Amino acid sequence: MIITMVSVSDTAGGAEAHTVALGRGLRDRGHDVTLYGRCPGWEERGLDRADIRLGPKWSRRTMAVGLLRVPVERHRTNAIADSSVYYLQFKREQIALTAPLARRAPVVWTEHGRWMGGPVGRLLLAGYARAAEHVSRVVCVSEAVAADLEPVVGRDKLVVVPNAIDTRRYAAPPPAMRAVLRQRLLPSRFHDRPVAVLAARLHGAKRHDRAVAAALASESALVVVGDGPDRERLERLAAGNVYVHFTGHRDDVPDLLAASDFYVYCGAETDGTPTCVLEAAAGGLPIVAFRGDPGTELIPYCGGLVLGEPTELTADAVSAMLERRGTGVAYVEQRHGRDRWLDAYERTFGECLR
């Protein structure tokens, strides 16, 4: 198949990692894959890309100007080469570009999260419903995401394909190697405490302050991996506490997970299946999560805890949880492995060509 992805993003997040993994996996299976646009990590994996001169990804800040650009951006789809399937995953591309592309080949979307609320959500939903008339399939990362879309898209177009990870990359190392990683990657003051870790884009909607509070309540150290607009606030909240360490963006996340004892997950209400939870569980870490966040249905399979409030995480609770280290490894390998995920996407694209 010739699979053409149209996606513009300059932010390295979960959706972008999904795009790169899908493009690389499909290419390795012999398909011709090209990206029109930009995606962090794409060219670093040796994948083909062409520029289409689309504006920035839609957000509350860029929405007004973005809507004015729609006629021009639709015209620019003429520069996109013919394809077996066109693949879109962000709202701007889905709403603005699906109709012209669908006249040339089937269009497939992926939906990564729950539908947003408020005036912006209602505005997008109207355009999304019109664009969905032209889409062939919508891949949803969870049943909850599919339930949000069913009244708008129709169940016959929805396919649920849970997120996946390369479990080999996150496999827990032998004890001796783990000890080396702890010595090399963690501050020396952390060596006599349980170490919690979170690795995510630091955005206020995810309320990562709960992770800071839970770690301190349990007398654990916390490694905060990642960057984003909420980092400054979180650093102020930590108030220079020596047991909270901010690393910024890192390329060695699997090693940092391996050096830690448990993971703290905080999700925004629009999140779908959190890949950070899958990555941590694949490395054997128990997961601490918070009641009401998306993705908490995964936690019982990972030997973790779902809390109502951060202060519920006590030192005794952490000690008991660490006895269940490794519980989630088999579950992630069986349900969220990369091969099964690629099989599902290949099958979905193939069904659109019949």
Side-chain angles (χ1 to χ4, degrees):
M1 286 183 285
I2 301 172
I3 300 166
T4 300
M5 301 183 172
V6 184
S7 181
V8 173
S9 177
D10 297 306
T11 301
E16 290 77 13
H18 181 284
T19 302
V20 174
L22 183 59
R24 179 60 185 266
L26 292 171
R27 192 193 68 175
D28 289 349
R29 291 187 172 201
H31 302 290
D32 185 343
V33 181
T34 301
L35 170 72
Y36 279 78
R38 299 185 303 278
C39 180
W42 185 267
E43 290 178 290
E44 290 84 344
R45 298 303 300 272
L47 295 163
D48 294 332
R49 185 184 76 86
D51 195 7
I52 190 178
R53 293 189 299 130
L54 297 179
K57 183 177 172 182
W58 280 359
S59 67
R60 286 177 170 82
R61 181 176 55 83
T62 65
M63 180 73 68
V65 174
L67 290 171
L68 294 174
R69 292 174 57 93
V70 167
V72 172
E73 295 189 340
R74 283 180 174 162
H75 179 73
R76 286 179 177 161
T77 62
N78 294 329
I80 298 175
D82 289 341
S83 184
S84 305
V85 175
Y86 294 108
Y87 173 81
L88 314 176
Q89 67 168 342
F90 292 128
K91 296 298 180 291
R92 182 267 304 280
E93 289 84 351
Q94 292 168 344
I95 293 172
L97 308 184
T98 294
L101 290 173
R103 289 194 285 266
R104 301 166 58 185
V107 175
V108 175
W109 299 346
T110 287
E111 285 304 328
H112 294 279
R114 305 295 303 273
W115 197 264
M116 68 185 75
V120 174
R122 290 191 292 273
L123 174 65
L124 287 176
L125 190 60
Y128 189 91
R130 289 192 295 271
E133 296 175 6
H134 305 281
V135 74
S136 293
R137 292 286 189 280
V138 181
V139 179
C140 304
V141 302
S142 71
E143 290 289 352
V145 172
D148 284 351
L149 299 181
E150 186 171 354
V152 178
V153 177
R155 187 68 205 190
D156 60 317
K157 292 185 177 182
L158 300 177
V159 182
V160 176
V161 180
N163 281 336
I165 62 168
D166 182 352
T167 55
R168 296 166 298 182
R169 185 169 183 237
Y170 293 93
M177 176 60 71
R178 182 166 180 268
V180 170
L181 291 172
R182 289 176 73 87
Q183 289 290 329
R184 178 164 62 85
L185 296 174
L186 302 181
S188 58
R189 61 187 179 275
F190 283 21
H191 293 168
D192 61 350
R193 289 189 174 214
V195 177
V197 60
L198 72 83
R201 182 167 183 261
L202 303 181
H203 191 284
K206 295 180 181 289
R207 295 179 294 160
H208 287 120
D209 48 286
R210 295 175 295 171
V212 175
L216 297 180
S218 65
E219 299 182 356
S220 302
L222 176 65
V223 178
V224 181
V225 184
D227 219 329
D230 204 35
R231 178 173 175 175
E232 184 177 340
R233 183 184 74 90
L234 292 171
E235 288 181 328
R236 289 199 305 271
L237 186 69
N241 190 296
V242 296
Y243 291 109
V244 181
H245 176 56
F246 291 83
T247 72
H249 175 76
R250 295 284 289 258
D251 293 320
D252 57 349
V253 172
D255 288 345
L256 285 160
L257 293 175
S260 303
D261 295 300
F262 66 98
Y263 190 89
V264 185
Y265 161 64
C266 301
E269 62 182 22
T270 56
D271 286 351
T273 302
T275 53
C276 59
V277 168
L278 302 179
E279 291 164 355
L285 300 188
I287 316 294
V288 170
F290 295 91
R291 193 170 299 120
D293 284 5
T296 52
E297 70 275 4
L298 298 171
I299 307 307
Y301 301 104
C302 303
L305 297 171
V306 178
L307 309 177
E309 297 294 334
T311 52
E312 294 175 16
L313 189 66
T314 64
D316 288 343
V318 168
S319 295
M321 186 175 60
L322 296 186
E323 295 295 321
R324 302 191 294 273
R325 186 181 178 91
T327 303
V329 173
Y331 173 79
V332 174
E333 288 177 348
Q334 292 167 10
R335 299 293 186 92
H336 297 278
R338 187 65 55 77
D339 286 342
R340 180 173 177 169
W341 178 73
L342 288 169
D343 289 344
Y345 268 95
E346 275 190 315
R347 185 166 57 252
T348 299
F349 290 152
E351 288 172 353
C352 294
L353 303 181
R354 294 173 187 167

